[in-house]
Amino acid sequence: MLVFGNLAVLSQKESASMYDEEKAAQAAAFLLSRAKGKLYLLSLVKLMYLSERLSFERYGVPLTGDSLVSMDYGPVLSTTLNHMNGAIRSKENGWDSWVSDRADHMVALRDGVVGDTPENDLMALSDSDLEVLGEVWARFGHMSRWDLVKYTHTLPEWKDPRGSSMSIEFDDLFKAIGFSSDVSDDLRRRIVAERNINLAFA
């Protein structure tokens, strides 16, 4: 099991208010299906982060709603990483329904959950989600896990946590993507408003 250390992120309640485990699991399943069923955990971590980032860049919304964190191996989705490491329990039709552990630091697609046309099986994902995931796979799926680490270390929002972890703030991400301050402020307000609504009904 590949573990990146302790995560210093939003409280569990706050994180859960935004995070969509089923979408995260199906996004991972999509990427694993493109990889013929298995990937190094580190590769999947990087591809999931790049998908979340591209969803913000392209559509102004998160793909999974996970918390973004800088760690030694680059930026990660914190709750998704915890699922990969088996550190938190999966919900019904959540992570464990789609992804299984595999030896030697790899994760695998569960047998029979995705057919030849993943779009027909991954119903939690929208057309825009599938577009983002497909583009990330086309751009980065051929890269080794260590090349992905090197690449994500070049992303401006990543800060070296020096053996610990650091939350990636929305303002830093949006600035790195190239959004204007007005666009960044609007997106942040919408995300915080959605989080507060989710917390109110949690």
Side-chain angles (χ1 to χ4, degrees), residues 27-39 44 99 107-109:
F30 178 95
L31 294 166
L32 287 165
S33 72
R34 287 290 191 266
K36 304 189 185 307
K38 62 180 180 179
L39 279 168
L44 185 56
V99 182
V107 289
L109 186 65

Side-chain angles (χ1 to χ4, degrees), residues 75-139:
V76 303
L77 306 182
S78 65
T79 307
T80 298
L81 176 59
N82 281 332
H83 278 298
M84 291 185 196
N85 282 326
I88 52 178
R89 183 172 298 183
S90 176
K91 296 179 180 177
E92 184 178 355
N93 204 35
W95 189 264
D96 291 344
S97 298
W98 298 89
V99 182
S100 63
D101 294 331
R102 186 170 287 240
D104 300 322
H105 308 300
M106 302 192 83
V107 289
L109 186 65
R110 285 208 177 274
D111 291 339
V113 295
V114 178
D116 294 334
T117 53
E119 297 82 358
N120 296 334
D121 300 306
L122 305 174
M123 302 304 292
L125 300 177
S126 67
D127 289 343
S128 58
D129 295 332
L130 292 166
E131 176 190 310
V132 163
L133 290 160
E135 183 169 333
V136 166
W137 180 257
R139 290 172 60 186

Side-chain angles (χ1 to χ4, degrees), residues 14-182:
E14 289 174 320
S15 181
S17 72
M18 291 290 291
Y19 182 63
D20 189 326
E21 182 184 336
E22 186 176 3
K23 283 189 72 175
Q26 292 191 20
F30 178 95
L31 294 166
L32 287 165
S33 72
R34 287 290 191 266
K36 304 189 185 307
K38 62 180 180 179
L39 279 168
Y40 280 104
L41 185 153
L42 187 54
S43 293
L44 185 56
V45 167
K46 301 294 105 181
L47 294 170
M48 292 285 289
Y49 178 83
L50 291 168
S51 298
E52 193 82 1
R53 189 182 198 271
L54 183 59
S55 183
F56 274 115
E57 182 178 359
R58 183 72 48 81
Y59 298 108
V61 295
L63 197 156
T64 70
D66 206 343
S67 299
L68 313 178
V69 177
S70 287
M71 303 194 76
D72 287 343
Y73 288 104
V76 303
L77 306 182
S78 65
T79 307
T80 298
L81 176 59
N82 281 332
H83 278 298
M84 291 185 196
N85 282 326
I88 52 178
R89 183 172 298 183
S90 176
K91 296 179 180 177
E92 184 178 355
N93 204 35
W95 189 264
D96 291 344
S97 298
W98 298 89
V99 182
S100 63
D101 294 331
R102 186 170 287 240
D104 300 322
H105 308 300
M106 302 192 83
V107 289
L109 186 65
R110 285 208 177 274
D111 291 339
V113 295
V114 178
D116 294 334
T117 53
E119 297 82 358
N120 296 334
D121 300 306
L122 305 174
M123 302 304 292
L125 300 177
S126 67
D127 289 343
S128 58
D129 295 332
L130 292 166
E131 176 190 310
V132 163
L133 290 160
E135 183 169 333
V136 166
W137 180 257
R139 290 172 60 186
F140 302 106
H142 67 283
M143 294 172 66
S144 75
R145 54 184 165 161
W146 301 116
D147 285 340
L148 285 167
V149 168
K150 289 177 184 177
Y151 175 78
T152 57
H153 278 172
T154 69
L155 298 176
E157 68 269 21
W158 179 76
K159 302 293 187 291
D160 187 350
R162 301 184 184 280
S164 183
S165 63
M166 299 170 59
S167 180
I168 297 174
E169 302 299 331
F170 287 129
D171 286 344
D172 292 334
L173 174 65
F174 297 154
K175 181 179 179 180
I177 288 172
F179 290 159
S180 69
S181 59
D182 287 344

